[in-house]
Amino acid sequence: MVLDHIGVVVRSLEEGISQWCDLFGYRQNSEIVVNSSQRVRVVFLSKSDSLTVKLIEPTGPVSPVFLFAGKGGGLHHLCFRCGNLRVQIPELEEKGMKLVVGPQPGEAFKNHDIAFLMAKNNLNVELIDTEEKQGWSGGG
């Protein structure tokens, strides 16, 4: 497994994009995508020789990150890319991780399956098995 991106919850994608671009030199590297099953809007930001950042905005009060965003947001998850989601999940469960959201299509990943697991110390982990990102413009 390799670290693919970090997920950061923000109240507003537009404000988050501006902050990450102005403060840290990132640039928007994907279109804004609505993930209907997670009830969020997301966008990927990139910077040469740096880790990809996914900003996450709740679409309304039923979003699982709505309360977190209301408190100011912040680091939400680490996303690891693996060879095969269906093989990796049971291996992680055997090591004590709890499956929170089972495999389901992720619109931000061109409908490839994503899953969320929780490790000790409240480490929220997204798991993917693709490099594809919806609307990704390539480059760093």
Side-chain angles (χ1 to χ4, degrees), residues 28-33 42-45 133-137:
Q28 182 175 340
N29 205 14
S30 77
E31 60 192 45
I32 293 174
V33 177
V42 302
V43 67
F44 291 97
L45 307 178
K133 293 173 178 62
Q134 186 66 41
W136 186 255
S137 63

Side-chain angles (χ1 to χ4, degrees), residues 58-99:
T59 56
V62 296
S63 171
V65 298
F66 181 77
L67 293 176
F68 187 36
K71 294 177 183 176
L75 181 63
H76 180 260
H77 68 267
L78 300 178
C79 179
F80 288 90
R81 189 173 60 250
C82 64
N84 185 323
L85 203 66
R86 309 267 178 203
V87 171
Q88 193 69 58
I89 290 171
E91 291 177 3
L92 292 173
E93 287 178 311
E94 285 177 19
K95 294 178 180 180
M97 292 187 77
K98 303 292 182 205
L99 185 63

Side-chain angles (χ1 to χ4, degrees), residues 85-140:
L85 203 66
R86 309 267 178 203
V87 171
Q88 193 69 58
I89 290 171
E91 291 177 3
L92 292 173
E93 287 178 311
E94 285 177 19
K95 294 178 180 180
M97 292 187 77
K98 303 292 182 205
L99 185 63
V100 179
V101 177
Q104 59 183 246
E107 288 97 330
F109 299 97
K110 295 188 175 182
N111 289 315
H112 289 273
D113 280 348
I114 64 171
F116 281 90
L117 299 101
M118 187 65 71
K120 290 181 182 177
N121 300 311
N122 290 323
L123 178 60
N124 188 16
V125 173
E126 181 178 28
L127 199 61
I128 61 175
D129 58 10
T130 182
E131 292 187 40
E132 292 189 86
K133 293 173 178 62
Q134 186 66 41
W136 186 255
S137 63

Side-chain angles (χ1 to χ4, degrees), residues 8-22:
V8 177
V9 171
V10 294
R11 290 181 182 171
S12 159
L13 284 185
E14 292 72 19
E15 289 177 12
I17 292 166
S18 178
Q19 177 188 33
W20 278 81
C21 292
D22 292 346

